[in-house]
Structures are given as C-alpha cells and as structure tokens.
Amino acid sequence: EAAAEQDIFDGAIAADERIEPRDWMPDAYRATLVRQIAQHAHSEIIGMQPESNWITRAPSLRRKAILMAKVQDEAGHGLYLYSAAETLGVRRDELLDKLHAGRQKYSSIFNYPTLTWADVGAIGWLVDGAAIMNQVPLCRCSYGPYARAMVRICKEESFHQRQGYELLLTLSRGTPEQHAMAQDAVNRWWWPSMMMFGPPDDESTHSAQSMAWKIKRHSNDELRQRFVDASAPQAEILGLTLPDPDIRWNEERGHYDSGPIDWTEFWDVLAGNGPCNDQRLTQRREAHENGAWVREAAASYAAKHAAGRGE
Ligand code: 3HC
C-alpha cells in the first residue's frame, strides 16, 4: 500500500506534476516544505521592520505612499505563505511560537540596520532583486499551494525592485551628498544580499533533496550567479559601484566573476549575532503580544457568529 503511494508520488514528481494538499506525500517532503514556507513567511513579516523604520521620515508624500504600499505587501506575502503552510497540516500559531522561541529562522538579510533613507532604495533594488531571483523558480515548485502563492508574490516583488532602483537612480543623479548616501547604502547591503541565497552549494544541507523533489529548481550558487549577472550592469547604469573589486565580465564563462563571500559573517548572523537579531525578535514578540486582543476579538466574534448560524 505505502509502496504504491510512494510510486504514485515519485511518478508525479518525475512528470513535473503538482502535489496537492490531499495527495499522499513522504513525511520528509511535508516537513521540508513546512520548514521552508514557514521561514519564508517569517522573513516577510520580520522584513517589514527595517523599512517601516523610514515610513514616518520619507522625503516626500510620493515616497511615503510607495513605501507604505511595499510594507503592506510584505505583510500580505507573509499571510499568504502562512496559509500555504497551513495546507500542510500545521497551525499558524505553532509557527509563530517557533519563530518567537528562535526555533525557526527568518532571512539573515533583515538583521541589518537601515541607517539612511538610501537604504530603502538599496533594499528594494538588491534585497527584493535577490528575492525575485529566488522566487521566480519557486513558481514551478512541485507543491501546488506554494507555487501558486509565488506567482502573485513575484508580481508584487517586481514593483518592489523597480521602486528601489528608481529611488537609487534619483539619489545617484542628485547632489554629491545624495550620491554618496546611495553609494554608502549599496556598500552596506551588497554582501548581505549575496548571502540571502544561502550557503555555498557544497555546504547546503537541503539542496540535493530539495532539488530531487523539485522544490528547489536551481542551486544556491546558480541563483547567486544570476543575481551578480543582473546587478553588475544595473550598478553601471546607476552610476554606483558594487563593493567587490573582483567583479568583472568573464567572456569565457559568459558570467561576471565575483569575489569571496565572508561566510563566517553569514553563520554568525544565523547564530543570532547579527547587528539587529535581538531588536527584530523583541519587536516581533511585542507586536504579537500587543495584537492578542485582536485575535481574541476575532475568535469570539467567529464563535458567536457560528453559534448564531447554529453551527
Ligand atoms: N537566512 C537564514 N537562514 C538561511 C539563509 C538565509 N539567507 N540561507 C540558508 N539558510 C538556512 C536554511 O534555512 C537551512 O537551515 P534550516 O535547516 O534550519 O532551515 C540552512 O541555512 C542550510 O541552507 P540550505 O541551502 O540547505 O537551505 P534551503 O535548501 O532551505 O535553501 C533558501 C535556503 C534558498 C533560503 C530556501 O530556503 C528558499 O528558497 N526559501 C524561500 C525563499 C525565502 O525564504 N526567501 C527569504 C528572502 S526574504 C523575502 O523574500 C522577502 C522579500 O520581500 C524581500
């Protein structure tokens, strides 16, 4: 019986068919999807903090409206992804408890501070740019609900990336001080953005299995290379330099070469020692506690409403 179900599952994966919530799936397939989707959702929610830091200080109403829309989008992406995770049989409050207890991760990138307004541009251009590189292939992920959530999320991410690029272009072509502010932000966000794609392939614990299950369609290093290939020419148009002196076009490879990444910094941030880890989790826990009354009110309304319907 189980062997037959495993064969059906393996056949579906091999035929590039979607696995849906009611299909049989190996426990390990379910577990790795819960791990990845939950941590993706946590990243979106925590990712609201660095940018919301600048909503009240945006330089114009137009920039404020764009930034508010983007931060609201991130919240929506998080809720979308928690819903995708729930189709695998986990509860949202369980996942949030794990985040708050440090037992589930969120993207390393959000443990860095947003020191100037130009950081909002660097995050849009580089962080959302890296997210798009990683999320477009996820639209073809073998698990249906996750792949479908990605289609909608990728459309909104491209708006996020374009507004960041345009913000940096405006600063870069502005006064010398504005150009310097944009360059400083790129200098601080480039390497952490390169780390977003995960450890090098030979240190990636999940890649082989995730690629066999067609959850991950390209390796960490492949997507990182695509990100460098896209960012280097854009930096030239922006009139900004990437803080990696080894970046240069390699005709033979048909790609840009780039310099070594400081993986000790990456593993240090994952261990909780990044510049903002404590601040991000503290703010997240406080937001959760301060929002308890909303959850209780919604739950009691739902219960009363259900009673009214005689359910
Ligand atoms: N930050 C934190 N943890 C990371 C990480 C990062 N940048 N990169 C890897 N890790 C963790 C992995 O989660 C894994 O730890 P775990 O076993 O406790 O989960 C460990 O490091 C080993 O890495 P692997 O390469 O083996 O792990 P994966 O196969 O899961 O690959 C990944 C990592 C590429 C991030 C993959 O999980 C993925 O594609 N996730 C979905 C995309 C995502 O989460 N993006 C977050 C970016 S933020 C965002 O999208 C918001 C946007 O609006 C900016």
Side-chain angles (χ1 to χ4, degrees):
E1 174 58 14
E5 287 171 329
Q6 181 72 48
D7 288 348
I8 294 167
F9 173 83
D10 292 344
I13 296 291
D16 258 331
E17 288 165 12
R18 285 276 156 79
I19 306 298
E20 296 298 337
R22 276 184 295 281
D23 294 341
W24 181 89
M25 61 185 85
D27 292 345
Y29 177 82
R30 184 186 301 276
T32 206
L33 281 166
V34 168
R35 172 188 66 81
Q36 176 164 331
I37 299 172
Q39 294 184 151
H40 195 162
H42 296 333
S43 303
E44 302 281 3
I45 299 299
I46 297 280
M48 294 164 69
Q49 291 186 34
E51 292 178 303
S52 56
N53 176 31
W54 282 94
I55 289 177
T56 55
R57 294 180 285 169
S60 70
L61 183 60
R62 173 172 172 267
R63 292 288 180 200
K64 183 181 188 136
I66 293 173
L67 183 55
M68 280 175 74
K70 179 176 188 305
V71 173
Q72 282 168 340
D73 281 352
E74 311 295 7
H77 296 173
L79 300 184
Y80 230 50
L81 288 164
Y82 285 128
S83 298
E86 285 169 333
T87 66
L88 290 158
V90 289
R91 291 184 17 193
R92 190 171 307 212
D93 52 348
E94 280 168 28
L95 302 179
L96 284 169
D97 289 349
K98 285 186 177 154
L99 170 67
H100 300 159
R103 294 197 355 255
Q104 273 185 338
K105 296 180 168 73
Y106 58 92
S107 187
S108 51
I109 191 69
F110 297 123
N111 290 308
Y112 292 84
T114 43
L115 303 178
T116 73
W117 169 252
D119 288 40
V120 175
I123 287 176
W125 177 45
L126 294 173
V127 175
D128 289 84
I132 290 172
M133 285 298 169
N134 161 282
Q135 290 174 164
V136 166
L138 283 171
C139 296
R140 292 187 296 116
C141 163
S142 58
Y143 186 59
Y146 193 28
R148 290 189 290 271
M150 278 297 113
V151 172
R152 154 116 177 254
I153 286 174
C154 285
K155 287 190 175 69
E156 293 172 345
E157 290 294 359
S158 35
F159 144 63
H160 298 171
Q161 201 261 0
R162 298 314 300 159
Q163 64 82 34
Y165 179 86
E166 193 261 339
L167 191 160
L168 283 181
L169 190 62
T170 307
L171 287 175
S172 176
R173 294 178 174 170
T175 63
E177 293 79 11
Q178 287 175 323
H179 182 93
M181 190 166 68
Q183 183 59 63
D184 163 61
V186 169
N187 291 345
R188 286 185 283 105
W189 286 93
W190 171 251
W191 291 109
S193 298
M194 287 284 276
M195 296 174 201
M196 275 175 75
F197 293 93
D201 292 349
D202 56 7
E203 291 175 46
S204 168
T205 27
H206 301 292
S207 282
Q209 184 59 72
S210 281
M211 291 178 86
W213 279 330
K214 297 185 182 174
I215 295 169
K216 186 179 272 189
R217 290 291 189 155
H218 301 280
S219 78
N220 298 356
D221 288 332
E222 264 176 81
L223 291 180
R224 199 180 344 261
Q225 178 63 64
R226 284 191 189 176
F227 176 65
V228 176
D229 290 346
S231 305
Q234 286 176 354
E236 275 170 43
I237 298 166
L238 283 169
L240 298 171
T241 53
L242 297 174
D244 175 359
D246 297 335
I247 285 185
R248 73 175 58 79
W249 179 251
N250 180 322
E251 194 52 43
E252 267 151 62
R253 289 182 60 226
H255 292 290
Y256 281 86
D257 291 338
S258 59
I261 294 172
D262 174 5
W263 291 109
T264 48
E265 176 179 331
F266 173 76
W267 294 114
D268 223 13
V269 172
L270 258 64
N273 309 318
C276 299
N277 293 56
D278 297 345
Q279 172 191 337
R280 299 290 184 233
L281 270 186
T282 303
Q283 190 170 339
R284 171 85 281 280
R285 289 191 199 101
E286 279 168 8
H288 192 71
E289 277 141 35
N290 297 339
W293 68 273
V294 178
R295 292 191 294 278
E296 283 150 27
S300 66
Y301 175 82
K304 205 185 302 173
H305 201 59
R309 279 200 302 264
E311 280 171 11

